[in-house]
Amino acid sequence: TSKKKKQPSVPSARRKCKGEETFDVMDLAEYAKRQRWWNRVFGKNSGPIAEKYSVATQLAIGGVTGWCAGFLFKKVGKLAASAVGGGFFLLQIANHTGYIKVDWKRVEQDVNKAKKQLKLNAEKPPKEVRTKVDEVTTFVKKNIVLTGGFAGGFLIGLAS
């Protein structure tokens, strides 16, 4: 019985050098055509999830999780805004009726001090922030379809 030899995914030809060595010559144009579009755009690292699931599955998973996250973000955001706004409103009423006394000059000084500290720290982010940004960028590049679905679902969740 003869076994079929597995054909390489890229057309190649065996060549012999002057010595005993052999090497493969690959047609790079054919190789580039057979690459997935996300590999061509984002490089070789683009795809643990991209290679396990179809594009439709990735979009569905990303869309559903994005919608859930957006919906929860909207609900929690409304609750937080209500709590902060209500608390500020109650403090203003208490100050206006005389229950509490606010030293507005001291508040202004503290706010200005905080602004200066934020400006100094914003110029050079800490190393931890830079490494986290690099990790997120790598994840997005590796899973572009999934993150695209998540972003779309998140926006739909915010709107619903």
Side-chain angles (χ1 to χ4, degrees):
T1 63
S2 65
K3 291 183 181 179
K4 286 188 176 181
K5 191 175 181 182
K6 187 178 177 182
Q7 293 293 329
S9 61
V10 177
S12 63
R14 284 228 179 249
R15 307 280 175 153
K16 248 189 181 185
C17 288
K18 292 179 181 177
E20 294 288 322
E21 296 180 48
T22 61
F23 61 94
D24 289 333
V25 177
M26 297 172 52
D27 184 5
L28 291 179
E30 275 300 310
Y31 179 75
K33 285 180 189 174
R34 292 181 185 200
Q35 290 295 311
R36 293 190 170 118
W37 67 268
W38 57 80
N39 285 345
R40 284 183 290 195
V41 174
F42 298 104
K44 260 187 167 176
N45 297 1
S46 57
I49 291 177
E51 293 168 4
K52 290 180 186 175
Y53 300 104
S54 70
V55 172
T57 304
Q58 292 177 60
L59 285 174
I61 291 171
V64 169
T65 56
W67 181 84
C68 292
F71 188 76
L72 288 174
F73 187 79
K74 177 182 171 184
K75 294 296 181 185
V76 171
K78 281 184 180 179
L79 180 67
S82 298
V84 170
F88 183 71
F89 183 68
L90 289 175
L91 282 174
Q92 284 295 333
I93 290 175
N95 181 42
H96 204 59
T97 56
Y99 284 105
I100 60 173
K101 179 95 170 119
V102 179
D103 186 3
W104 290 108
K105 289 186 183 206
R106 185 170 176 192
V107 170
E108 186 179 356
Q109 288 172 353
D110 289 344
V111 168
N112 288 336
K113 184 192 264 186
K115 281 183 185 178
K116 287 179 184 174
Q117 287 177 348
L118 284 174
K119 283 182 183 177
L120 290 175
N121 292 337
E123 290 176 9
K124 50 180 180 175
K127 185 178 180 182
E128 298 87 26
V129 172
R130 282 180 272 148
T131 56
K132 290 297 177 190
V133 168
D134 290 342
E135 287 177 24
V136 169
T137 304
T138 303
F139 178 81
V140 169
K141 284 183 179 180
K142 284 183 179 181
N143 305 298
I144 190 70
V145 176
L146 182 76
T147 53
F150 181 86
F154 186 81
L155 293 174
I156 292 170
L158 281 178
S160 62

